[in-house]
């Protein structure tokens, strides 16, 4: 038996959308989920700040939790720091990058929206994905810190105002060609957690896509042949910025198999 966990990393609770997909495919996978709540939010930070913080923190976390693999369950951290993390650590690192390729496979109108954080949507990484996989599409981008806050609030059990989701989507639909968007990439791991709210606020039916199922398959591929514990083990949630105060969030963590909470 091999008890080494898979370590999932995000600035907040967004990476739970990735953990959920991975758990569905690999139910016996032991997991440590780290929310860098002391550094939250990432999406409004500079490339320099993210580039300095994420590799150093992941180095410390790898020493402490000895994972078999790390998943950077955050588009902002991945599009800025994935290469630096990979070269600093001697273990497999899976990143989360905007699912533009998946969106291009589905879009009939060839107009795709990319909804991410401000930091993600300005990355050259996104230009590159659009050029490689969606060169015949209009790829419209919008960055929203408010949508990250809404997802965090929802998981704390707070009611969120539907008008705020509509205002965020306006940032895509009101761009030239925006009225023809038929597919939106949730390019921030927080956003699948509020997909129902986004769907309800969209001016017409839209398909939302994200990378979580692809990441789950990638974890399965990279750990093929490895042993897992015989029975699922309670996972650990780690917060760098103080323990979560919301009972609703603690209950949600438990639903994702994260029965123990620790602070760093
Ligand atoms: N969940 C993160 C992402 O996928 C970022 C949220 C934030 O801290 O701004 O980009």
């Amino acid at each position: 038996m091999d008890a080494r966990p898979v370590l999932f990393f995000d600035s907040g609770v967004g990476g739970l959308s990735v953990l959920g997909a991975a758990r569905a495919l690999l139910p016996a996978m032991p997991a440590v989920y780290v929310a860098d709540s002391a550094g939250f939010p990432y999406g409004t930070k500079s490339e320099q700040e993210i580039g300095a913080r994420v590799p150093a923190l992941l180095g410390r976390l790898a020493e402490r939790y000895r994972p078999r693999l790390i998943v950077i369950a955050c588009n902002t951290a991945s599009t800025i720091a994935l290469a630096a993390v990979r070269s600093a650590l001697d273990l497999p690192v899976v990143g989360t990058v905007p699912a533009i390729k998946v969106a291009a496979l589905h879009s009939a109108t060839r107009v795709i929206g990319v909804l991410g954080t401000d930091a993600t949507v300005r990355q050259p990484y996104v230009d590159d994905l659009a050029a490689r996989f969606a060169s015949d599409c209009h790829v419209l981008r919008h960055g929203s810190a408010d949508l990250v806050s809404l997802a965090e609030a929802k998981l704390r059990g707070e009611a969120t105002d539907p008008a705020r989701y509509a205002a965020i989507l306006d940032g895509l639909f009101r761009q030239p060609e925006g009225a023809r968007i038929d597919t939106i990439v949730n390019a921030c791991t927080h956003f699948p957690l509020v997909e129902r709210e986004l769907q309800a606020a969209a001016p017409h039916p839209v398909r939302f896509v994200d990378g979580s199922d692809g990441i789950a398959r990638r974890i399965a591929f990279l750990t093929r042949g490895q042993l897992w514990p015989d029975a699922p083990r309670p996972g650990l949630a780690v917060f760098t910025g103080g323990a979560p105060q919301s009972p609703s969030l603690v209950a949600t963590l438990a639903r994702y198999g994260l029965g123990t909470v620790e602070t760093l």
Side-chain angles (χ1 to χ4, degrees):
M1 192 202 72
D2 183 349
R4 286 175 306 153
V6 174
L7 190 147
F8 292 79
F9 176 81
D10 184 32
S11 57
V13 296
L16 293 176
S17 63
V18 178
L19 173 62
R23 274 232 184 279
L25 193 63
L26 300 163
M29 172 191 70
V32 172
Y33 183 89
V34 181
D36 181 15
S37 43
F40 176 88
Y42 281 0
T44 52
K45 292 195 164 50
S46 69
E47 284 70 3
Q48 289 70 21
E49 286 172 287
I50 303 288
R53 183 174 185 91
V54 171
L57 181 53
L58 280 171
R60 293 214 309 279
L61 293 168
E63 267 179 29
R64 185 175 172 97
Y65 298 107
R66 302 271 165 209
R68 64 180 80 196
L69 180 148
I70 287 179
V71 180
I72 304 182
C74 173
N75 289 260
T76 311
S78 300
T79 55
I80 294 172
L82 182 58
V85 172
R86 281 193 173 137
S87 61
L89 296 184
D90 195 17
L91 78 175
V93 181
V94 178
T96 306
V97 299
I100 291 175
K101 185 178 177 182
V102 181
L105 288 175
H106 287 297
S107 174
T109 61
R110 313 314 282 159
V111 186
I112 293 169
V114 176
L115 203 51
T117 63
D118 291 312
T120 294
V121 298
R122 66 171 181 255
Q123 292 312 309
Y125 206 120
V126 179
D127 302 332
D128 183 56
L129 290 172
R132 278 166 60 206
F133 300 118
S135 57
D136 65 332
C137 297
H138 291 283
V139 180
L140 310 180
R141 308 174 194 191
H142 182 62
S144 174
D146 196 35
L147 195 48
V148 176
S149 309
L150 284 166
E152 291 275 334
K154 178 182 172 181
L155 266 62
R156 285 194 303 268
E158 295 166 21
T160 56
D161 179 359
R164 282 168 70 187
Y165 297 95
I168 291 160
L169 287 175
D170 274 354
L172 283 174
F173 287 103
R174 296 236 169 127
Q175 292 184 35
E177 300 292 338
R180 294 173 53 232
I181 290 173
D182 67 349
T183 310
I184 292 180
V185 181
N186 274 329
C188 168
T189 53
H190 279 75
F191 300 171
L193 302 172
V194 288
E195 191 168 307
R196 242 180 310 125
E197 290 80 352
L198 287 169
Q199 195 68 262
H204 58 252
V206 174
R207 182 196 289 265
F208 287 86
V209 300
D210 63 70
S212 53
D213 288 335
I215 293 170
R217 287 193 297 274
R218 186 77 192 142
I219 299 168
F221 176 77
L222 289 171
T223 56
R224 70 199 180 286
Q226 295 182 11
L227 298 174
W228 299 105
D230 298 334
R233 303 198 145 197
L236 172 68
V238 180
F239 287 76
T240 61
Q245 298 302 312
S246 149
S248 169
L249 176 55
V250 173
T252 299
L253 294 171
R255 272 203 304 283
Y256 279 90
L258 306 170
T260 312
V261 177
E262 175 172 305
T263 53
L264 277 187

